[in-house]
């Protein structure tokens, strides 16, 4: 089934997830090499004949530095993003799209960096954002969301309850669901992480790339970026991608080891899992405070 890009539907009525239809291979890597944000890349062009994006809603995200940690290894400092996480890569694309299709009100659910990032970009775009959080979300996070003008709803129950409340709200008010998990534009933003690395390393990539894995938005973006660099003929082989999960919450790593990963399952930790200092990648079915 296919939908117009301006749809407010957040997944196919057949139950599946959306993917963007590719119209052609991109023209090359740069759109404007003098733009020092991630918008320097022509990263949406394979999709733009349908994805008519308007003027970008940008806070100067992207082009984060890399530092050499030891011989042959580099760290990419995505915490230097406008709202302090790589989530801004996805938010700039998703919110630019929302603005282009005339969204005035949106809703999202998050207990972490994604919500804060969306709230900042929606504030710039003049889009009213309702955000749904599970109880137990830290006061600091709520203050940050308040500061960006988002309307915060704390929902009794776990992360999934917050998600259900957001979807109910979206469907009953017929507003836009700014989901960082379901909307495929997000991966088209996160893939610029790889484009930057390729450019910063002088037109090549490392042998191994370590990516944190929670819901997988960075991992999926990086895999998409790799496929695109290959189809543009810019790399001939792909680096090894090593996804990293928190030891206290690693459902995908476990299934990988058992060789029983399947596409249709959802992989979250149950309540028995421990809490982790790496809370950004520990995706529990309940909220860890
Ligand atoms: C969101 C986030 C992650 C996990 O990303 P996923 O897209 O959920 O896999 C890891 N680290 C930080 C700092 C994050 O904000």
């Amino acid at each position: 089934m296919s939908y117009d890009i301006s749809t407010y539907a957040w997944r196919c009525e057949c139950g599946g997830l959306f993917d963007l239809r590719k119209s052609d291979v991109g023209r090359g890597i740069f759109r404007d090499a003098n733009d020092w944000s991630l918008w320097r890349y022509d990263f949406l062009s394979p999709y733009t004949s349908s994805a008519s994006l308007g003027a970008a809603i940008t806070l100067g995200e992207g082009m984060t530095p890399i530092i050499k940690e030891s011989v042959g290894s580099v760290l990419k400092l995505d915490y230097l993003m406008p709202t302090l996480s790589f989530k801004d890569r996805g938010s700039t694309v998703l919110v630019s799209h929302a603005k282009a299709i005339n969204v005035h009100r949106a809703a999202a659910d998050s207990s972490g960096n994604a919500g804060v990032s969306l709230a900042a970009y929606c504030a710039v775009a003049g889009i009213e954002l309702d955000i749904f959080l599970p109880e137990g979300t830290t006061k600091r996070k709520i203050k940050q969301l308040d500061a960006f003008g988002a309307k915060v709803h704390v929902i009794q129950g776990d992360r999934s309850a917050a998600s259900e409340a957001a979807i109910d709200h979206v469907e009953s008010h017929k507003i836009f669901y700014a989901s960082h998990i379901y909307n495929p534009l997000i991966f088209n933003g996160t893939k610029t992480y790889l484009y930057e690395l390729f450019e910063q390393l002088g037109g090549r990539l490392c042998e191994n790339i370590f990516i944190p894995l929670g819901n997988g938005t960075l991992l999926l973006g990086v895999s998409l970026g790799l496929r695109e660099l290959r189809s543009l003929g810019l790399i001939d082989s792909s680096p090894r991608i090593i996804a990293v999960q928190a030891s206290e919450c690693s459902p995908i790593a476990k299934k990988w080891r058992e060789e029983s990963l399947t596409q249709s399952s959802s992989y979250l930790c149950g309540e028995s899992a421990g809490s982790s200092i790496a809370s950004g990648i520990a995706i529990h079915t309940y909220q860890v405070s």
Side-chain angles (χ1 to χ4, degrees), residues 187-208:
F187 318 125
N188 281 278
T190 55
K191 74 186 179 191
T192 59
Y193 175 91
L194 190 82
Y195 284 20
E196 287 175 20
L197 201 55
F198 175 76
E199 191 185 355
Q200 287 169 316
L201 294 173
R204 58 186 193 89
L205 288 168
C206 327
E207 258 171 73
N208 300 301

Side-chain angles (χ1 to χ4, degrees), residues 13-230:
E13 65 193 68
C14 59
L17 301 182
F18 284 140
D19 202 355
L20 293 177
R21 183 183 290 159
K22 199 167 177 166
S23 53
D24 55 41
V25 177
R27 286 182 292 273
I29 191 169
F30 292 112
R31 170 178 163 268
D32 174 4
N34 293 320
D35 181 337
W36 293 98
S37 78
L38 59 75
W39 291 94
R40 71 199 267 99
Y41 300 114
D42 196 27
F43 60 107
L44 287 170
S45 86
Y47 309 97
T48 39
S49 62
S50 54
S52 62
L53 282 171
I57 302 297
T58 176
L59 289 165
E61 59 293 315
M63 298 308 284
T64 54
I66 54 169
I67 51 168
K68 291 205 159 54
E69 192 219 8
S70 61
V71 183
S73 85
V74 298
L75 298 171
K76 186 149 174 66
L77 310 190
D78 260 21
Y79 61 82
L80 294 174
M81 284 283 186
T83 77
L84 316 179
S85 81
F86 76 79
K87 301 295 190 297
D88 293 350
R89 295 185 186 277
S91 300
T92 187
V93 179
L94 184 59
V95 176
S96 297
H97 165 70
K99 186 75 183 169
I101 62 165
N102 274 320
V103 167
H104 299 289
R105 290 180 63 197
D109 48 286
S110 161
S111 53
N113 292 338
V116 171
S117 175
L118 280 169
Y121 284 83
C122 282
V124 175
I127 294 173
E128 245 178 73
L129 180 70
D130 282 87
I131 195 126
F132 294 78
L133 309 170
E135 55 188 348
T137 303
T138 60
K139 282 213 176 71
R140 207 176 36 176
K141 210 107 247 170
I142 293 177
K143 270 197 180 150
Q144 225 171 341
L145 291 164
D146 272 343
F148 288 132
K151 192 164 167 210
V152 176
H153 306 257
V154 178
I155 302 301
Q156 274 192 354
D158 61 15
R159 181 69 186 75
S160 330
S163 194
E164 277 160 30
I167 292 167
D168 275 354
H169 186 81
V170 160
E171 294 187 339
S172 60
H173 293 83
K174 303 202 172 359
I175 60 177
F176 185 73
Y177 186 24
S179 171
H180 66 285
I181 298 172
Y182 291 107
N183 198 304
L185 282 165
I186 293 286
F187 318 125
N188 281 278
T190 55
K191 74 186 179 191
T192 59
Y193 175 91
L194 190 82
Y195 284 20
E196 287 175 20
L197 201 55
F198 175 76
E199 191 185 355
Q200 287 169 316
L201 294 173
R204 58 186 193 89
L205 288 168
C206 327
E207 258 171 73
N208 300 301
I209 302 179
F210 293 82
I211 307 278
L213 174 59
N215 286 305
T217 64
L218 186 60
L219 185 73
L220 290 171
V222 165
S223 340
L224 178 60
L226 281 173
R227 288 201 297 281
E228 290 184 355
L229 291 184
R230 278 185 89 142

